[in-house]
Amino acid sequence: MNRAKVNQNINLDDYNDIWIIGEQVDGKIHPVTLELIGEGKKLASKIDKRVVLVIVGFEIDKEVEQLLNYEVDEIYYIEDVSLKEFSTDGYSKAISDLILDKKPEIVLVGATSFGRDIGPRIAAKIGTGLVADCTKLDIDEEDGKILQTRPAFGGNLMATIICPNNRPQMATVRPGVMEKSNFSKEIIGKITKINPKLAASDFRTKLIDRYDPVQKKVNLRDAKIVVSGGRGLKDADGFKLIQRLADVLGGEVGSSRASVDLGWIESDHQVGQTGSTVKPDLYIACGISGAIQHQAGMVDSKYIIAINKDPNAPIFEVCDYGIVGDLFEVIPELIESIEEKQI
Ligand SMILES: Cc1cc2nc3c(=O)[nH]c(=O)nc-3n(C[C@H](O)[C@H](O)[C@H](O)COP(=O)(O)OP(=O)(O)OC[C@H]3O[C@@H](n4cnc5c(N)ncnc54)[C@H](O)[C@@H]3O)c2cc1C
């Protein structure tokens, strides 16, 4: 591998391993952790590196042990009573210290609230760059540089960014985009416990109370069928029609950002660059023009059906089946014929 000493303080050859910063609350592992392991393994196979998972918490040994079933080479389990609950200061210091000690080549964090909080803090503490909200990662096999792709300029173009002079190369990665690592009965890795050096003065905040949010009603990421509505619905009542179609198909209701901005539906339902990324078997876009920012969240669906009265709407460029027509006529007919078949 052709690698130079590019920074007087850094010798790139000192850096090894691909690290995944895992995410857990009360031992419950966030799905993005498995997605990052899957992606880390893909990158590792191209440059012959180890995949190491970092998990921070307290008394979650059983849950950490189960993560060995996802074919990681090693797990660094940073355990301390002060890290039982998430703390921006505590978590970022403990992880930064470990990075400075072990020198990973690549560090991946989920672009979740957790990762968006600690990712940039860790990057600043250890003096490297961070590419936020990546939707695609690859490796330049010549020099091992990670090619980090993310939407730029409001999603109108995709930028591929490299980090040539500093290590580790850090990225936050959008949840729901990468393939999860498969469960394997065979265990190849081991767990190494890390006792972080943390003092009370390292924590600037104190947890006083915790309110768990009400469970979200919509689960777009795991849905097999998503029926989405856009500005073409004309008003909030239009979503009743979308809900009926979703119900007869056993699917979830999605939306464009325009519908959310107009206050017709809650933001949990938004699909797209600033909403959820979905990959259902069937995505039905109703009265949605198909702006690039909407496509960013649904274009990988297995089958896409679009209903739009404008034959030139961009959504027709990405759909498998397009129906040019008024959704208020097309959807009731669709519901009727599906119901007839179900009897
Ligand atoms: C930084 C940034 C991030 C963004 N993130 C997102 C995002 O995450 N998700 C997202 O969706 N957008 C996002 N947007 C907004 C995006 O650019 C579009 O403005 C939005 O997707 C448009 O929503 P829409 O298709 O519902 O509305 P419109 O573009 O207004 O389209 C409405 C469509 O309905 C059709 N229509 C009207 N009446 C009928 C009818 N009776 N029957 C059938 N069809 C009909 C029209 O022909 C039209 O094509 C983002 C924009 C920016 C700048």
Side-chain angles (χ1 to χ4, degrees), residues 230-231 256-257 270-274 287 289 293-294 308 326-327:
R231 206 196 305 260
S256 70
R257 178 156 143 184
Q270 184 183 317
V271 171
Q273 186 188 320
T274 43
S289 58
Q293 297 89 356
H294 187 78
N308 198 305
D326 185 334
L327 67 91

Side-chain angles (χ1 to χ4, degrees), residues 166-187:
N166 289 296
R167 289 295 180 271
Q169 306 167 83
M170 273 192 82
T172 63
V173 179
R174 283 200 86 174
V177 176
M178 308 299 181
E179 292 291 328
K180 279 183 190 162
S181 176
N182 290 328
F183 179 92
S184 160
K185 282 189 181 152
E186 197 192 336
I187 287 175

Side-chain angles (χ1 to χ4, degrees), residues 101-283:
D101 180 31
K102 306 275 184 197
K103 295 191 171 53
E105 162 116 31
I106 293 168
V107 175
L108 305 180
V109 194
T112 55
S113 322
F114 166 88
R116 286 179 172 158
D117 184 347
I118 63 161
R121 285 169 205 274
I122 294 171
K125 275 180 194 294
I126 62 178
T128 191
L130 175 132
V131 182
D133 218 15
C134 294
T135 52
K136 190 175 160 216
L137 298 175
D138 206 346
I139 289 270
D140 181 333
E141 288 175 49
E142 275 296 297
D143 59 11
K145 278 192 207 91
I146 180 168
L147 308 171
Q148 303 159 104
T149 303
R150 54 151 298 155
F153 296 106
N156 288 308
L157 63 85
M158 300 301 281
T160 297
I161 300 166
I162 55 169
C163 174
N165 298 338
N166 289 296
R167 289 295 180 271
Q169 306 167 83
M170 273 192 82
T172 63
V173 179
R174 283 200 86 174
V177 176
M178 308 299 181
E179 292 291 328
K180 279 183 190 162
S181 176
N182 290 328
F183 179 92
S184 160
K185 282 189 181 152
E186 197 192 336
I187 287 175
I188 52 165
K190 60 172 183 170
I191 297 172
T192 305
K193 267 203 189 182
I194 308 288
N195 297 313
K197 287 191 181 69
L198 294 169
S201 55
D202 291 325
F203 295 79
R204 290 172 299 171
T205 53
K206 192 168 86 179
L207 180 75
I208 296 168
D209 208 344
R210 194 171 101 174
Y211 295 92
D212 289 325
V214 180
Q215 197 66 28
K216 279 189 184 173
K217 287 178 267 118
V218 55
N219 181 4
L220 288 176
R221 289 207 171 107
D222 297 327
K224 294 272 172 248
I225 297 176
V226 176
V227 184
S228 283
R231 206 196 305 260
L233 293 178
K234 301 220 172 357
D235 56 30
D237 270 357
F239 270 99
K240 291 184 184 153
L241 195 56
I242 299 295
Q243 184 71 60
R244 277 181 54 211
L245 181 55
D247 286 346
V248 291
L249 290 168
E252 291 277 7
V253 170
S255 79
S256 70
R257 178 156 143 184
S259 309
V260 172
D261 289 348
L262 287 160
W264 297 349
I265 192 159
E266 281 146 34
S267 59
D268 300 355
H269 294 264
Q270 184 183 317
V271 171
Q273 186 188 320
T274 43
S276 295
T277 303
V278 299
K279 278 192 221 167
D281 291 340
L282 176 61
Y283 187 86

